[in-house]
């Protein structure tokens, strides 16, 4: 499974961006489970932003609740992150992740996959 993230950029505070992440390389023996977004600001550890399960259960970090919206299109194996009311502290490299289960000879193998990062910069 490969993940391709896109949509980052430079925006002024109060503006909006929409990130997208497409999963590819999925075979008939692979199932995508939870998907989500994480971010890493300079000098800080990577942190969870939002996750969404395969049946739509959503979790947000406290700092983005009410401003960010995660969604997914299972038919397109795509997860989105709509970011509104952006703040300078949202500046970070954003990464998409997806958990998959593959069945090899009947044995389930669970893996986590990561995209390349996409830079989000919010100017004050």
């Amino acid at each position: 499974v490969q993940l391709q993230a896109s949509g980052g950029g430079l925006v002024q505070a109060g503006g909006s961006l929409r990130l997208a992440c497409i999963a590819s390389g999925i075979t008939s023996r692979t199932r995508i489970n939870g998907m989500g977004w994480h971010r890493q600001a300079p000098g800080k550890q990577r942190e969870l932003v939002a996750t969404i399960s395969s049946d739509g259960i959503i979790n947000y970090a406290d700092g983005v609740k009410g401003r960010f919206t995660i969604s997914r299109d299972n038919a397109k194996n795509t997860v989105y992150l709509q970011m509104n009311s952006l703040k300078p502290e949202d500046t970070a490299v954003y990464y998409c992740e997806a958990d998959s289960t593959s069945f090899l000879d009947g044995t389930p193998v669970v893996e986590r996959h990561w995209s390349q990062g996409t830079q989000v910069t919010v100017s004050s």
Side-chain angles (χ1 to χ4, degrees):
V1 177
Q2 297 82 43
L3 300 178
Q4 179 69 42
S6 62
L10 172 64
V11 64
Q12 289 187 331
S16 299
L17 284 173
R18 188 189 193 211
L19 306 183
C21 177
I22 301 173
S24 61
I26 299 168
T27 71
S28 60
R29 296 183 179 183
T30 302
R31 182 180 69 225
I32 298 296
N33 303 315
M35 303 183 80
W37 292 94
H38 300 246
R39 66 187 181 187
Q40 187 166 18
K44 295 186 177 182
Q45 290 188 332
R46 190 174 297 189
E47 63 176 4
L48 172 73
V49 176
T51 60
I52 182 168
S53 70
S54 57
D55 53 1
I57 297 172
I58 290 172
N59 178 51
Y60 292 106
D62 288 342
V64 306
K65 287 180 180 178
R67 299 188 298 122
F68 290 11
T69 302
I70 189 171
S71 61
R72 65 188 283 174
D73 184 333
N74 290 330
K76 296 181 179 179
N77 294 311
T78 302
V79 62
Y80 304 95
L81 186 68
Q82 177 67 44
M83 304 185 294
N84 298 328
S85 301
L86 282 160
K87 304 176 181 180
E89 50 263 44
D90 294 318
T91 294
V93 178
Y94 284 68
Y95 299 89
C96 165
E97 60 92 356
D99 296 329
S100 70
T101 301
S102 298
F103 295 89
L104 306 177
D105 298 326
T107 301
V109 177
V110 179
E111 297 178 283
R112 171 159 288 186
H113 311 275
W114 292 94
S115 70
Q116 88 293 356
T118 184
Q119 177 71 47
V120 171
T121 303
V122 184
S123 63
S124 57

